Amino acid sequence: MPGKLKAKIVAGRHLPVMDRASDLTDAFVEVKFGNTTFKTDVFPKSLNPQWNSEWFKFEVDDEDLQDEPLQITVLDHDTYSANDAIGKVYIDIDPLLCSEAATRICGWFPIYDTIHGIRGEINVLVKVDLFNDLNSFRQSSCGVKFFCTTSIPRCYRAALVHGFVEELVVNEDPEYQWIDRIRTPRASNEARQRLISLMSGELQRKIGLKVLEMGGNAVVGYLQCFDLEGESGLVVRAIGTACTLDKLTPGTAPNTNTHSNTAPASNVFRPVPGLGSCRATWAMFKQPVLDISFPLIGVLNNQFRHFLFLSVLSGMGSGGSAGKEAGPLKTLLRQHTQSALEQREFPFFTLTCFPPGFLVHVGGVVSARSVKLLDRIHNPDEPETRDAWWEEIRQEIKSHAKALGCHAVVGYSESTSICEEVCILSASGTAAMLNPRFMREGCLDAGGSDHRFEDASPPSCGFCHIPYDEFNMPFPAQLTYCYRCRRQKVPDVLFTTIDLPAEAAVTGKGCLIQARLCRTKKKAQGEVNATAISNLLPFMEYELHTQLMNKLKLRSMNALFGLRIQISVGENMLLGLASATGVYLSALPAPGGIQVAGKTPSDLNYDQHIATMQKRINDTITKNKELYNIHPPESTEELVGSPIPDRQRSRLFRSTSESSDELLELDLSHGKKDAFVLEIDDTDAVEDIQSLLTDAPMPAGFYSCNTEVMPGIYNWTSGLQMFTSVRVYRLSNANLTNQGLNKIFTELCENLLKSLYFKLRSMIPCCLFWNVPRSLSFVSPPPCLHPVLRPPHRSVSSAERCSPLPEGRSRSLRSTRSMPCGAPVAVVKMTPLSFLPGTRIVKYLGIINMFFIRETTSLREEGGVSGFLHCFIAEVFAMVRAHVAALGGNAVVSYSMKECVFMENPNKNQAQCLINVSGDAVIFVRESEQEATPPLMSSGQISSTGADGTT
Amino acid sequence: MSMVLDVFVGNTTIMDMDIYQLWLDGLTVREAVKARMDQGALLECEANAEVLMSDTMDQFRTFQLCERLLHSPTKLANQLLFQIPSQHQRMLIEKYYEFDSVFAREVLGKKLSKGTKKDLDDISSKTGITLKSCRRQFDNFKRVFKVVEDLKGPLVENIQHHFLLTDTQARDYAAIVFFANSRFETGKRKLQYLSFQDFAYCASQLIQYWTTGAVGELHLYSMVEDMDVDLEKEFLHELKDLKVLVNDKNMLDQHKVLVCAALRGKIKVYRLMEANFKNLSRALINLASKLTHTKDVRDLFIDLVEKVIEPCRCDRWTLGEVTLFLTQYTNAAHGLGTFSRQVVWDRYMGVIRSCILRMYHE
């Protein structure tokens, strides 16, 4: 009996009228946990009942505490007929189980009904008394902290990073059970919400157990997903990185904020040449040598067509002599890491941002996809099939990483796309070599983090150096000597899934680069369908890469960070969307231009056409260089160890002709010869080039990226606006060609962007942070395709100007104007970033992981599909804010809308939508207040101080 | 290819006050897009018609979702659905409860009932205000009326408290509630020249001096129902006693002598005034004595116009002359030794004088 849960129902307000006769409501509340239910008294005839109940006490196992939500149901008492439900509140009490998180949950919660939406609010107080658990065979994992944030949370220090944890649980989907035919939609939705809440609680508990087994105390980069497999069931799966975190005392906090993006700290990002500006390593990805191998592996009884695609390619090659001296060190490092990592089944890390020195070398993007046919999950307690699927993929990823000479995969994520019985499983990450010290047991007492990694840190530009064996490359690639240290080899292009490391030296500004692709496919069933998809995938991936590479070159950049490739499957088409933030890494060579080459040079007109096109491309490149402020040196002298400030660097540049013999050797790999050649051999290629050039430039004052930091801009204000935008298009003509589809798709994306720029024009200058976890999906009703274009939350942060969100509420017009119903609602900010510019996070209160279903049978009356969804998204935001505020927080960071499934049946005037959101509830203080205010603040204290961050 | 769904939701609700105005004005999305194009919205941020359309739809939808909350503005501050910065909340409320005085003038004194609501399309075509906007304004009047109808305490403060309006707005609404409650006649042709603001001023005078709440003690101690909405019965009865001023021949003459003495040489229309004095005085006093009948209360303004304002205007009195006359007329009664109803007299004439002066357009 290790825990006592106490709940108190205080009051309600704004309740709906349940009794038409009196225009009032006789409300009472049922509080349920596990199988125990308590009731309050009926508060007759009021829309603002004051129950002030006693403390309802539940004595429960901590296992249940982790799995079960507290379920609060508000009902209208009816003497003669059954009581009518007004709505429910589910409260996840997990944050209360960890001593360092929230201590109580207290506040107003929206009362939610899956048919009517929010119907009033209820004030609840929840506490938990935990007893010490001495049972060593325990099934619970109370006290393990969970973070969605994919970096080490701001007020903690990573003592040890244990590695990958994963788990999945499966169940039957209540929506597809036989009983669903006889119960009401409300009952069915509630069963589903409850089940998913239970499953995610169980999942979290199981992952927590694994973490405890590994000796950790926290999961960072926790990524939980639902697969609604329809008939075949419901899968909830999660991955994360187990860590041992030490809480920092407030005074020392800023040291570990590796990229606290605050105004005073902004120089952290400004690379100071010679001062270790590049400490980590990336793997490189070189497009022209992309080698596609798509082994079609028949697994077992041929029931699943299994397809894996190796998309990682690494640029490498040319055995330069200078690489040798680094050789032994590298080998040594490898051995160290190996010993630490090889005990692990999967040396994967879901982190995208790392403590300084953690990341040594990076090998490039590794990804694997597999097409599966779903079948019914027969035994929910043994989810072996799904486990096996993911296991296969992870093995594949691991072997890809090995092929790149890396032992670990960082920035790792997994996703699925389901259409009827076909499911594409995808996993991707960045192959990397890590500093083994972080993983070794017993290094906790190594004497503080400050000098622990010093010796292992390569010279300033080390992170760009290739990690793999130069003489044994799987792919031919061009290497050059690093443009900063001149001693080690770097590839000419680098693709990664991680964030731009804080130390990285960047020239100019970065920008969001997207590749978009549509592919038609025949409508088919079962295995035939799966095979068709399998066959299409490698080509799609290849084309997306080509597009990315072209766009990168067009912007004169040489590296991509935060690369996410999403491939979604529909009935008769596949959609691909790749997003990444392009930058110019100072350590890598300047990208060559793009050269257009024709196949039939005899035709004069044709030549002319090509010449015009070439000119347009060249012009665009020049324009982009200006736009992104990229003025790289022709070649640089070694800068290692010389602390020369940025502005003086230009003097040190030497032209190639002046350079040493060693540099001359390098000449082969940059300059004109490196130009990327586009061959126009058919109309497709022409179209491709056209589309390359049609990307509309952003209006002045807008910036965009999908990484945590916007490369090249450092002075953020705290004005932050998170928004979600959803669009659904119906394709009227299903007989379009691939090119036609591509064009339409690109136009849609561009239109959406235009729309956003316009809406946000008042916030200029601002930066759009894209968070597109699953931007594409298909809505089912045949025969039309509905690509759902969902760039969900982009948080807009306005740069270089004061925030347009003042929050003081004191200036009421007249003193006689009072707010009768108590204090106004505290402001809760939401952001997909892991931090809030201009502020400091002082406490993490726990993870927010919520799942909602909303259904309507009066779609037209609610303003059609747009009105319905608009309202639902607003309701979801409101419920997230209410939970955070009840925990005592004032913001959600690393917020993400994982799932947004929308189904409609306009003929029946019905629609249904499922939304899953997650994030970390935190308390933040503004930088300017932090000295004055003790770290524990109540949520009501957020007041605008106006002009911070406007440096 | 068609867009089936297009949604944009911010954590902090994003609202464009210019579009809000268009929405309040009752424009359709299409009309609003046109209006914005005319205002030059396309020049910003490389927008096109499609972008403008999508933006306008989003905004209109947001306003529609908020409208329910605006019906009880106090809820807006502690509802959880929309996170709206407080100064935006204030603006939303103020603009929502703003009304066109042309419209208010039309419904002033009418019963705020379904019947009147049915006639709104006539008002709409007469005033050029869209029917949608008319309905909103009418519903606002009715909502405020319903809420404060049964409340105790001062009218203006009640309105302010429940609807969080500005001082001026609250006073205007108080006037509307007051007129709707007493159903004053304002629609006659002879009253057409009077604006809403004229009536609102008169209403504020009546509320301030003639209602139950106007008596200081009451105001302090008890919260009487309808204290600012209904005229004080006792006062209206006492007004009958003023009749003596015209019925008593001596008193009437003496009153005239005193007024003439004070005004001689001071007004150009002296001669006409002297000739008309008895008629004017009789009109004013008769008006007072009849106010016990609801019907005559309703006709207060038309009576003032027909019996006092029009005769003076016929004789081309200037506003200054009317002012002087009414001042002297009121003061002179104090000089009548036999006249004992000084307090009632002042309370009556104070308001009548203010109303006449406001209604006297030269």
Side-chain angles (χ1 to χ4, degrees):
Chain A
M1 197 66 55
K4 192 187 267 177
L5 170 69
K6 301 190 292 179
K8 183 178 180 135
I9 307 297
V10 184
R13 67 183 182 195
H14 308 160
L15 294 187
V17 169
M18 298 302 281
D19 180 5
R20 286 269 153 243
S22 65
D23 267 359
L24 288 167
T25 296
D26 306 318
F28 71 101
V29 182
E30 274 181 12
V31 187
K32 189 177 173 195
F33 190 84
N35 293 321
T36 320
T37 308
F38 292 103
K39 278 183 197 174
T40 65
D41 298 331
V42 175
F43 194 92
K45 306 211 180 303
S46 171
L47 299 182
N48 300 296
Q50 303 289 320
W51 291 289
N52 267 322
S53 77
E54 58 189 298
W55 283 101
F56 299 121
K57 293 180 185 124
F58 302 88
E59 295 186 335
V60 276
D61 287 338
D62 48 1
E63 188 183 332
D64 287 339
L65 280 173
Q66 284 196 295
D67 288 5
E68 297 259 357
L70 180 69
Q71 184 180 321
I72 294 166
T73 314
V74 186
L75 298 118
D76 175 51
H77 175 76
D78 215 326
T79 319
Y80 303 107
S81 58
N83 298 326
D84 294 323
I86 295 173
K88 289 192 174 193
V89 180
Y90 292 95
I91 301 177
D92 179 14
I93 43 172
D94 224 41
L96 297 181
L97 304 181
C98 172
S99 54
E100 281 167 44
T103 50
R104 59 174 198 166
I105 297 174
C106 161
W108 289 99
F109 290 88
I111 302 168
Y112 181 74
D113 178 72
T114 59
I115 306 292
H116 294 104
I118 289 177
R119 306 171 97 190
E121 288 129 33
I122 185 168
N123 195 311
V124 182
L125 187 55
V126 184
K127 283 182 182 173
V128 172
D129 292 337
L130 274 184
F131 311 134
N132 274 338
D133 186 11
L134 301 172
N135 180 4
S136 54
F137 300 102
R138 62 185 191 166
Q139 286 297 303
S140 78
S141 54
C142 290
V144 175
K145 297 178 279 290
F146 285 80
F147 301 93
C148 292
T149 303
T150 56
S151 55
I152 300 301
R154 293 315 161 93
C155 36
Y156 292 92
R157 186 182 68 95
L160 217 55
V161 180
H162 300 278
F164 191 61
V165 278
E166 50 77 31
E167 186 64 75
L168 68 81
V169 290
V170 298
N171 211 319
E172 264 186 280
D173 191 339
E175 185 102 337
Y176 294 88
Q177 285 164 351
W178 66 269
I179 194 168
D180 205 59
R181 286 177 205 160
I182 51 165
R183 65 180 164 191
T184 62
R186 176 182 284 119
S188 155
N189 291 340
E190 277 170 6
R192 243 175 147 187
Q193 283 192 166
R194 198 180 126 73
L195 178 72
I196 288 183
S197 180
L198 270 173
M199 284 169 80
S200 47
E202 183 191 342
L203 195 70
Q204 223 167 304
R205 174 173 58 82
K206 285 186 170 168
I207 285 203
L209 279 173
K210 289 189 176 181
V211 172
L212 291 175
E213 244 167 59
M214 295 166 101
N217 64 3
V219 182
V220 182
Y222 185 68
L223 174 74
Q224 185 188 290
C225 294
F226 300 98
D227 296 330
L228 300 168
E229 294 184 352
E231 288 279 330
S232 49
L234 187 68
V235 178
V236 186
R237 59 194 162 77
I239 55 175
T241 307
C243 296
T244 303
L245 298 183
D246 293 344
K247 188 141 174 61
L248 290 165
T249 53
T252 60
N255 302 340
T256 47
N257 289 353
T258 50
H259 65 291
S260 72
N261 211 8
T262 57
S266 62
N267 48 7
V268 170
F269 298 94
R270 274 187 221 282
V272 180
L275 281 182
S277 48
C278 333
R279 239 182 276 158
T281 311
W282 278 261
M284 334 304 184
F285 179 94
K286 189 159 188 323
Q287 175 60 30
V289 291
L290 185 79
D291 166 331
I292 310 172
S293 53
F294 43 102
L296 217 66
I297 307 166
V299 177
L300 296 172
N301 53 7
N302 211 18
Q303 191 183 5
F304 317 115
R305 291 254 161 209
H306 182 196
F307 156 76
L308 291 163
F309 173 57
L310 174 71
S311 76
V312 177
L313 294 224
S314 36
M316 198 17 147
S318 110
S321 53
K324 278 177 189 161
E325 54 187 301
L329 176 71
K330 208 176 271 178
T331 321
L332 198 69
L333 201 64
R334 188 166 295 150
Q335 280 162 0
H336 274 290
T337 324
Q338 221 145 11
S339 56
L341 285 172
E342 252 165 27
Q343 315 149 0
R344 283 164 237 275
E345 193 184 6
F346 297 113
F348 296 171
F349 300 89
T350 52
L351 303 177
T352 58
C353 249
F354 307 92
F358 183 78
L359 203 59
V360 180
H361 291 298
V362 179
V365 174
V366 282
S367 80
R369 292 183 204 282
S370 145
V371 182
K372 298 289 187 191
L373 277 178
L374 298 172
D375 62 340
R376 203 163 188 87
I377 297 168
H378 296 292
N379 184 359
D381 294 330
E382 289 175 14
E384 272 120 7
T385 328
R386 267 56 174 183
D387 268 339
W389 290 356
W390 287 110
E391 169 104 18
E392 266 169 30
I393 289 207
R394 288 172 192 141
Q395 286 294 355
E396 197 69 21
I397 290 270
K398 192 181 173 186
S399 68
H400 291 342
K402 268 227 171 79
L404 291 171
C406 296
H407 311 112
V409 177
V410 294
Y412 179 74
S413 65
E414 295 175 347
S415 64
T416 57
S417 169
I418 298 172
C419 179
E420 312 228 308
E421 52 194 349
V422 175
C423 173
I424 303 181
L425 313 181
S426 314
S428 71
T430 305
M433 270 171 77
L434 305 177
N435 189 321
R437 284 168 174 266
F438 258 108
M439 271 141 297
R440 213 181 295 144
E441 302 289 338
C443 75
L444 264 165
D445 47 355
S449 58
D450 306 274
H451 56 88
R452 175 146 28 125
F453 312 107
E454 230 168 29
D455 50 346
S457 299
S460 66
C461 45
F463 79 103
C464 294
H465 302 161
I466 49 160
Y468 30 69
D469 185 356
E470 299 160 45
F471 301 103
N472 193 16
M473 283 294 303
F475 313 103
Q478 280 170 324
L479 295 183
T480 59
Y481 281 98
C482 169
Y483 271 58
R484 297 189 75 85
C485 75
R486 294 273 163 218
R487 287 158 65 176
Q488 304 232 18
K489 297 284 177 90
V490 293
D492 59 349
V493 178
L494 175 62
F495 284 15
T496 74
T497 58
I498 57 174
D499 270 331
L500 182 69
E503 314 87 357
V506 170
T507 306
K509 296 187 188 84
C511 80
L512 183 85
I513 293 179
Q514 275 196 327
R516 302 135 182 168
L517 190 67
C518 277
R519 276 276 170 270
T520 53
K521 95 177 164 57
K522 288 221 171 63
K523 218 170 155 176
Q525 294 294 316
E527 228 170 283
V528 185
N529 194 17
T531 315
I533 294 170
S534 292
N535 291 341
L536 272 173
L537 282 177
F539 296 102
M540 289 192 67
E541 201 131 8
Y542 176 76
E543 268 189 53
L544 285 169
H545 279 294
T546 312
Q547 266 191 43
L548 282 177
M549 186 60 82
N550 287 342
K551 289 186 177 180
L552 191 67
K553 298 233 178 232
L554 205 61
R555 286 168 177 80
S556 261
M557 295 173 181
N558 57 18
L560 285 181
F561 288 91
L563 177 66
R564 289 274 172 280
I565 299 180
Q566 301 139 353
I567 292 188
S568 318
V569 59
E571 272 193 353
N572 43 17
M573 77 200 269
L574 285 163
L575 276 183
L577 181 74
S579 334
T581 303
V583 291
Y584 185 102
L585 280 181
S586 308
L588 300 193
I594 298 175
Q595 218 163 25
V596 183
K599 270 249 163 116
T600 48
S602 49
D603 190 343
L604 197 69
N605 274 344
Y606 192 63
D607 277 354
Q608 214 158 17
H609 178 61
I610 287 180
T612 351
M613 213 163 330
Q614 179 73 56
K615 190 170 176 308
R616 276 180 63 193
I617 289 178
N618 291 346
D619 289 350
T620 315
I621 293 181
T622 321
K623 225 168 60 197
N624 280 333
K625 274 190 180 170
E626 280 305 315
L627 183 62
Y628 301 114
N629 201 15
I630 297 171
H631 302 291
E634 284 289 294
S635 78
T636 56
E637 215 180 21
E638 31 100 46
L639 295 166
V640 192
S642 48
I644 301 158
D646 253 357
R647 63 186 89 86
Q648 288 175 24
R649 190 166 25 147
S650 55
R651 263 195 263 148
L652 294 163
F653 301 152
R654 266 200 278 170
S655 74
T656 323
S657 55
E658 289 172 313
S659 61
S660 63
D661 293 349
E662 191 185 312
L663 286 172
L664 275 174
E665 188 187 313
L666 284 171
D667 264 352
L668 292 172
S669 52
H670 63 84
K672 280 281 170 257
K673 279 177 189 146
D674 195 34
F676 192 57
V677 180
L678 284 177
E679 263 190 25
I680 308 187
D681 44 3
D682 54 17
T683 42
D684 284 17
V686 177
E687 290 277 346
D688 285 349
I689 294 175
Q690 292 291 4
S691 67
L692 195 63
L693 292 166
T694 47
D695 269 14
M698 276 179 290
F702 279 104
Y703 307 96
S704 69
C705 65
N706 72 339
T707 49
E708 291 263 295
V709 292
M710 170 71 199
I713 298 176
Y714 308 101
N715 43 350
W716 300 104
T717 67
S718 49
L720 202 70
Q721 167 67 291
M722 190 279 298
F723 59 88
T724 296
S725 182
V726 182
R727 283 190 176 190
V728 178
Y729 291 92
R730 181 173 283 118
L731 277 179
S732 44
N733 183 359
N735 303 322
L736 283 163
T737 59
N738 282 337
Q739 265 72 37
L741 275 175
N742 277 344
K743 209 170 156 212
I744 289 173
F745 185 34
T746 307
E747 266 168 29
L748 297 184
C749 295
E750 291 292 329
N751 276 342
L752 181 66
L753 283 176
K754 266 191 195 157
S755 222
L756 293 179
Y757 295 144
F758 182 74
K759 277 183 212 292
L760 302 167
R761 65 196 184 286
S762 64
M763 302 183 93
I764 285 178
C766 79
C767 178
L768 295 166
F769 290 99
W770 292 60
N771 175 351
V772 198
R774 254 192 73 181
S775 80
L776 308 167
S777 55
F778 293 84
V779 186
S780 43
C784 296
L785 277 174
H786 308 224
V788 180
L789 232 188
R790 184 162 50 88
H793 354 275
R794 287 144 207 213
S795 146
V796 180
S797 169
S798 63
E800 290 147 36
R801 78 186 265 273
C802 194
S803 122
L805 296 172
E807 286 149 29
R809 261 166 215 276
S810 52
R811 256 187 304 145
S812 158
L813 278 186
R814 271 175 45 118
S815 50
T816 50
R817 251 197 246 194
S818 58
M819 305 286 182
C821 302
V825 182
V827 173
V828 174
K829 298 206 173 202
M830 289 163 87
T831 172
L833 300 174
S834 68
F835 62 96
L836 292 121
T839 65
R840 193 166 67 85
I841 293 169
V842 291
K843 195 174 186 191
Y844 281 81
L845 299 165
I847 200 168
I848 296 282
N849 187 357
M850 298 165 94
F851 177 85
F852 298 105
I853 302 178
R854 180 87 149 76
E855 189 167 343
T856 183
T857 47
S858 52
L859 189 58
R860 274 187 293 275
E861 294 76 1
E862 290 189 36
V865 283
S866 297
F868 170 68
L869 193 62
H870 189 130
C871 189
F872 184 35
I873 292 176
E875 283 170 346
V876 169
F877 285 175
M879 287 184 277
V880 171
R881 284 193 304 259
H883 276 82
V884 172
L887 288 169
N890 56 12
V892 190
V893 296
S894 300
Y895 167 81
S896 123
M897 187 177 284
K898 296 269 180 49
E899 199 78 58
C900 176
V901 184
F902 181 78
M903 286 156 284
E904 58 158 335
N905 188 343
N907 298 332
K908 282 190 176 169
N909 206 14
Q910 287 174 343
Q912 191 191 36
C913 186
L914 295 82
I915 287 182
N916 173 222
V917 293
S918 66
D920 294 323
V922 299
I923 301 176
F924 72 84
V925 288
R926 287 176 196 275
E927 286 288 332
S928 48
E929 288 172 12
Q930 85 184 57
E931 284 85 22
T933 328
L936 276 175
M937 286 184 74
S938 82
S939 57
Q941 278 174 269
I942 345 151
S943 61
S944 157
T945 48
D948 37 351
T950 49
T951 48
Chain B
M1 178 65 114
S2 59
M3 185 143 62
V4 231
L5 191 158
D6 177 21
V7 169
F8 175 92
V9 192
N11 177 36
T12 301
T13 309
I14 300 170
M15 293 179 176
D16 183 326
M17 286 301 146
D18 296 336
I19 309 175
Y20 187 48
Q21 193 56 56
L22 297 176
W23 178 74
L24 288 175
D25 289 343
L27 269 62
T28 63
V29 174
R30 214 166 282 281
E31 288 163 350
V33 168
K34 199 178 165 300
R36 294 181 72 188
M37 277 174 164
D38 294 344
Q39 286 161 16
L42 287 187
L43 304 173
E44 286 177 281
C45 265
E46 296 154 35
N48 57 31
E50 203 180 319
V51 164
L52 213 55
M53 185 78 176
S54 146
D55 185 44
T56 312
M57 295 244 272
D58 263 328
Q59 292 282 317
F60 270 44
R61 215 166 29 232
T62 308
F63 301 139
Q64 264 153 30
L65 288 169
C66 281
E67 191 169 12
R68 193 172 45 85
L69 299 166
L70 288 167
H71 290 172
S72 44
T74 46
K75 271 190 197 167
L76 198 63
N78 57 25
Q79 52 84 30
L80 302 177
L81 188 55
F82 297 103
Q83 186 161 276
I84 306 170
S86 61
Q87 87 276 26
H88 267 192
Q89 289 184 14
R90 212 155 47 220
M91 215 134 57
L92 282 178
I93 296 169
E94 271 168 32
K95 288 206 155 202
Y96 191 78
Y97 283 91
E98 238 167 44
F99 56 84
D100 295 294
S101 23
V102 193
F103 173 80
R105 175 68 186 81
E106 290 295 325
V107 290
L108 205 57
K110 285 190 180 145
K111 202 173 172 190
L112 299 175
S113 63
K114 280 197 179 125
T116 316
K117 201 174 174 183
K118 275 182 194 144
D119 300 334
L120 287 183
D121 41 359
D122 291 340
I123 299 179
S124 167
S125 54
K126 188 178 165 192
T127 57
I129 299 162
T130 59
L131 183 58
K132 218 181 137 206
S133 179
C134 287
R135 288 212 177 113
R136 172 181 60 83
Q137 298 182 32
F138 181 81
D139 289 340
N140 283 345
F141 295 163
K142 195 169 166 181
R143 194 174 313 113
V144 172
F145 183 84
K146 284 261 176 230
V147 168
V148 297
E149 196 181 24
D150 305 326
L151 286 176
K152 295 171 179 179
L155 185 58
V156 178
E157 275 173 46
N158 278 342
I159 292 174
Q160 241 170 2
H161 187 79
H162 282 89
F163 292 91
L164 309 177
L165 300 179
T166 62
D167 209 18
T168 349
Q169 274 184 325
R171 283 177 200 289
D172 284 348
Y173 270 94
I176 290 160
V177 169
F178 185 75
F179 267 74
N181 184 63
S182 302
R183 311 266 310 281
F184 286 105
E185 177 60 67
T186 63
K188 287 263 164 59
R189 219 162 54 82
K190 282 183 177 164
L191 292 173
Q192 286 307 310
Y193 76 99
L194 291 167
S195 72
F196 168 75
Q197 291 312 329
D198 294 333
F199 282 119
Y201 175 82
C202 298
S204 72
Q205 289 293 312
L206 292 168
I207 293 170
Q208 211 170 342
Y209 299 107
W210 282 9
T211 56
T212 326
V215 186
E217 282 166 64
L218 277 176
H219 197 135
L220 274 179
Y221 294 110
S222 63
M223 292 298 210
V224 178
E225 254 179 54
D226 294 339
M227 66 182 236
D228 280 348
V229 183
D230 292 334
L231 301 180
E232 196 192 344
K233 289 258 156 48
E234 279 175 50
F235 166 67
L236 296 180
H237 270 286
E238 283 170 351
L239 285 178
K240 283 190 185 299
D241 300 340
L242 298 182
K243 272 200 147 173
V244 69
L245 282 174
V246 285
N247 289 351
D248 182 329
K249 185 115 186 6
N250 281 340
M251 218 180 257
L252 182 60
D253 289 339
Q254 206 184 339
H255 196 184
K256 185 180 170 182
V257 169
L258 285 171
V259 172
C260 287
L263 290 177
R264 181 159 310 164
K266 291 197 178 136
I267 56 173
K268 280 188 190 161
V269 287
Y270 177 74
R271 219 159 271 286
L272 290 165
M273 185 277 289
E274 204 177 11
N276 254 338
F277 181 86
K278 284 186 181 169
N279 284 340
L280 285 174
S281 186
R282 215 167 267 135
L284 287 167
I285 305 295
N286 281 339
L287 202 60
S289 60
K290 284 196 305 181
L291 284 179
T292 39
H293 305 288
T294 323
K295 167 83 180 63
D296 292 303
V297 172
R298 283 185 193 170
D299 287 340
L300 175 67
F301 295 103
I302 188 78
D303 285 347
L304 281 177
V305 168
E306 283 178 348
K307 309 250 164 72
V308 184
I309 294 171
E310 280 193 338
C312 293
R313 241 191 345 210
C314 273
D315 297 343
R316 300 189 178 276
W317 293 39
T318 65
L319 184 59
E321 287 161 346
V322 179
T323 314
L324 265 177
F325 167 74
L326 286 173
T327 314
Q328 291 308 326
Y329 177 74
T330 312
N331 291 344
H334 296 292
L336 301 172
T338 45
F339 183 60
S340 57
R341 294 289 175 180
Q342 309 288 0
V343 179
V344 179
W345 175 248
D346 279 349
R347 190 173 172 191
Y348 173 71
M349 275 315 289
V351 170
I352 289 293
R353 180 177 168 272
S354 306
C355 290
I356 291 176
L357 293 180
R358 176 80 200 206
M359 292 160 71
Y360 194 83
H361 297 191
E362 283 178 49

